Amino acid sequence: EAARIERLVRRRIDDRIPVAYLLNEAWLDDLPFYVDRRVIIPRSHVAELLRDRLRPWRRRPVRHALDLCTGSGCLAVLVARAFGSAQVDATDISPGALAVAQRNVALHRLRARVRLLRSDLFSALSDRRYDLIVSNPPYVTDRSTDELPAEYRHEPAMALAGGDDGLDAVRGIVKDAPRFLN
């Protein structure tokens, strides 16, 4: 056990690999999630909002929810847990990310309520409507990408790169969301 820990510490120090990737585990809102280099390490303030079921802002029941850019599926899982009767669609453009999300949906026993779809934002959703849309889209500016600490270079670039101003995906979400929101 000591030798294993020493190897992990050495890789962390020498290769700057984030601990979550070394252990294949990250935690968000007191829940464990499987992670590997196909997804970014979960870190989202949306988790804090979901803990309180979006109170005091939420006025209507959440029956159908959408998690765009789901990555590891952590927000989809948290939405499903926060709104116990909601059906949740979770989309990502990356097949690798969807495979990780599938593992986390199964880990938290939510296969019956969380559906994973390969989609570039809303492109595969056609005429679906949702009471809630959450997302942790790529948000790092092109210029900042080059300045990120070495640890972030182990994460998939497509999950971080948000264009010149970091808002490419955000603009797409805001532009198209009204067509999909109840």
Side-chain angles (χ1 to χ4, degrees):
E1 186 73 13
R4 178 180 174 269
I5 291 171
E6 188 172 324
R7 281 192 305 278
L8 290 173
V9 169
R10 182 64 36 218
R11 289 185 71 202
R12 172 70 185 112
I13 293 168
D14 293 345
D15 301 329
R16 305 284 297 270
I17 299 171
V19 172
Y21 290 149
L22 293 172
L23 301 177
N24 293 115
E25 184 176 82
W27 288 72
L28 189 61
D29 199 39
D30 296 328
L31 291 177
F33 292 93
Y34 173 86
V35 294
D36 62 30
R37 291 186 187 185
R38 295 175 288 179
V39 297
I40 62 170
I41 297 166
R43 49 185 173 267
S44 175
H45 297 295
V46 175
E48 296 171 26
L49 298 172
L50 291 171
R51 184 180 313 127
D52 294 328
R53 295 187 182 106
L54 302 176
R55 288 186 194 115
W57 306 283
R58 180 180 57 89
R59 305 264 189 252
R60 299 182 192 150
V62 175
R63 293 183 186 95
H64 296 82
L66 171 63
D67 175 18
L68 293 171
C69 311
T70 197
S72 65
C74 60
L75 290 182
V77 166
L78 292 177
V79 167
R81 289 173 56 94
F83 304 103
S85 61
Q87 292 296 128
V88 181
D89 286 346
T91 69
D92 205 289
I93 196 169
S94 165
L98 289 170
V100 172
Q102 182 64 44
R103 187 169 178 165
N104 284 314
V105 167
L107 172 69
H108 293 283
R109 296 184 170 97
L110 290 167
R111 285 187 200 146
R113 295 190 30 237
V114 177
R115 182 175 65 150
L116 300 167
L117 301 159
R118 185 166 185 211
S119 183
D120 184 0
L121 299 180
F122 298 100
S123 66
L125 299 176
S126 63
D127 61 351
R128 298 183 196 284
R129 306 282 293 181
Y130 300 95
D131 303 307
L132 173 68
I133 298 174
V134 299
S135 183
N136 185 19
Y139 55 84
V140 180
T141 65
D142 290 343
R143 186 168 158 226
S144 295
T145 300
D146 298 332
E147 300 168 5
L148 288 172
E151 286 82 355
Y152 288 90
R153 297 193 203 313
H154 294 280
E155 298 189 81
M158 76 179 329
L160 296 170
D164 285 342
D165 62 359
L167 297 174
D168 284 358
V170 173
R171 270 191 290 282
I173 293 168
V174 171
K175 178 177 129 308
D176 292 335
R179 287 188 6 234
F180 296 90
L181 279 168
N182 287 329

